[in-house]
Amino acid sequence: MLSCIITLNKTNYPYNKRKRMIDTGKIGILAITAPGAAICYEELVSYYGHQYGKYSHPNIFLHNLNFHEYHILLQNEDWENLTNLMLISINELAKHNPDFIIIPANTVHVVIEKLIKRSPIKILNILEIVTNECVSNNYKRVAVLGTKWTMSIKLYKNIFDINKISLITPDEEEQNIIQKIILDHLVPQTKIEVARDMLSKLIAKITPNCDAIALACTELPMILDQQNCNIPLIDTTRILARAAAIQIRQITYLI
């Protein structure tokens, strides 16, 4: 099993032998795919710097197991072992004592309740954060685009129902097209322009029926943004990153 962990502000760096003047907190990123994690990481650092001080951002720890293992478990809908695999990353991140963990991937939130119960570290729930964004913008009919697993199991249905938001789900043919875009183009980052054209045609069919579109796959912002779409987009990756920046700021200023 291959894994990767990236640590910023290492404790063995000489500066840390002195008294730290600034405590910006610690955030753990449980990465599933490289593109999704990269977008989230960049947005977290950028948003924090723009909001709270140039060149400043939280201490960030990222752990990423081999995506091939995740893909097998998702194909088999093996939710128990998916939970166990994610807990490996959570336990690695916990060694750095982060204030909380974020997971920039929608599909794996199918096991978020199990993870929260078993995790030694608080986890921010992307489903709650995205739903709050919909409520604050008064979106009543939201199309959720993501992997076929996210769409077919209607990942957002329960939390949308609680908040009186109608979930718009693409039909099976459309789901297959989106799945192909994500797994054949965005995750491996090949033929991006082809993927963009495919998604644009599909969006044109969906937009008349909804108030907004949730990009509920963290790779979709690679090819779709407000500049090439005439309906409000909910970028779940960046919304998660901004929520993490705001929360870590609140935590560090309450200490």
Side-chain angles (χ1 to χ4, degrees):
M1 180 183 294
L2 297 176
S3 66
C4 170
I5 187 159
I6 301 174
T7 303
L8 303 185
N9 291 347
K10 295 180 180 179
T11 55
N12 61 353
Y13 190 69
Y15 173 81
N16 291 281
K17 294 179 180 179
R18 301 165 54 193
K19 183 177 180 180
R20 296 288 295 278
M21 300 300 293
I22 302 173
D23 181 7
T24 52
K26 301 177 184 178
I27 296 176
I29 298 179
L30 195 170
I32 304 298
T33 68
I39 292 171
C40 183
Y41 168 77
E42 183 177 22
E43 181 68 17
L44 172 55
V45 171
S46 174
Y47 182 83
Y48 191 98
H50 280 102
Q51 295 294 317
Y52 307 122
K54 192 175 180 181
Y55 307 128
S56 183
H57 61 78
N59 299 279
I60 300 170
F61 305 87
L62 184 151
H63 194 267
N64 189 195
L65 290 169
N66 184 359
F67 177 69
H68 181 64
E69 296 186 67
Y70 283 112
H71 188 230
I72 292 172
L73 296 176
L74 288 169
Q75 283 185 313
N76 295 327
E77 297 187 4
D78 187 347
W79 308 136
E80 185 60 33
N81 282 316
L82 175 64
T83 303
N84 293 335
L85 187 62
M86 294 175 73
L87 281 167
I88 293 173
S89 282
I90 288 173
N91 289 328
E92 287 296 321
L93 291 168
K95 295 176 182 178
H96 301 277
N97 196 30
D99 294 283
F100 56 80
I101 290 170
I102 57 175
I103 309 170
N106 282 265
T107 302
V108 296
H109 276 71
V110 67
V111 297
I112 188 62
E113 292 182 6
K114 293 179 180 179
L115 282 176
I116 289 173
K117 288 179 181 178
R118 296 173 63 182
S119 173
I121 304 294
K122 177 181 178 180
I123 303 174
L124 299 193
N125 186 342
I126 197 172
L127 305 181
E128 294 177 353
I129 291 168
V130 170
T131 301
N132 289 340
E133 180 75 8
C134 294
V135 171
S136 66
N137 285 283
N138 199 33
Y139 298 144
K140 298 298 185 183
R141 294 174 58 82
V142 178
V144 172
L145 308 187
T147 65
K148 189 165 185 178
W149 304 292
T150 294
M151 294 181 290
S152 64
I153 65 176
K154 300 184 185 300
L155 183 63
Y156 278 86
K157 180 171 174 51
N158 288 341
I159 195 165
F160 272 16
D161 285 348
I162 291 170
N163 290 275
K164 298 180 180 179
I165 300 169
S166 296
L167 171 65
I168 309 299
T169 303
D171 62 32
E172 186 172 359
E173 180 181 355
E174 292 166 340
Q175 289 180 29
N176 289 334
I177 293 172
I178 297 170
Q179 179 84 337
K180 180 178 178 63
I181 290 171
I182 294 168
L183 294 183
D184 290 358
H185 298 287
L186 301 186
V187 173
Q189 301 185 60
T190 61
K191 298 182 180 179
I192 298 299
E193 288 305 318
V194 172
R196 183 177 285 111
D197 290 343
M198 292 170 65
L199 187 61
S200 295
K201 292 176 182 177
L202 192 147
I203 291 292
K205 295 172 60 178
I206 295 174
T207 50
N209 301 316
C210 55
D211 301 325
I213 294 176
L215 303 180
C217 168
T218 47
E219 288 74 39
L220 287 175
M222 294 170 61
I223 58 172
L224 191 64
D225 58 31
Q226 215 58 75
Q227 293 183 346
N228 58 14
C229 185
N230 59 6
I231 189 170
L233 296 176
I234 304 164
D235 185 338
T236 63
T237 313
R238 291 184 169 88
I239 288 172
L240 174 65
R242 294 167 195 163
I246 293 168
Q247 181 141 339
I248 198 66
R249 179 71 171 188
Q250 291 172 343
I251 290 172
T252 54
Y253 270 71
L254 287 173
I255 294 175

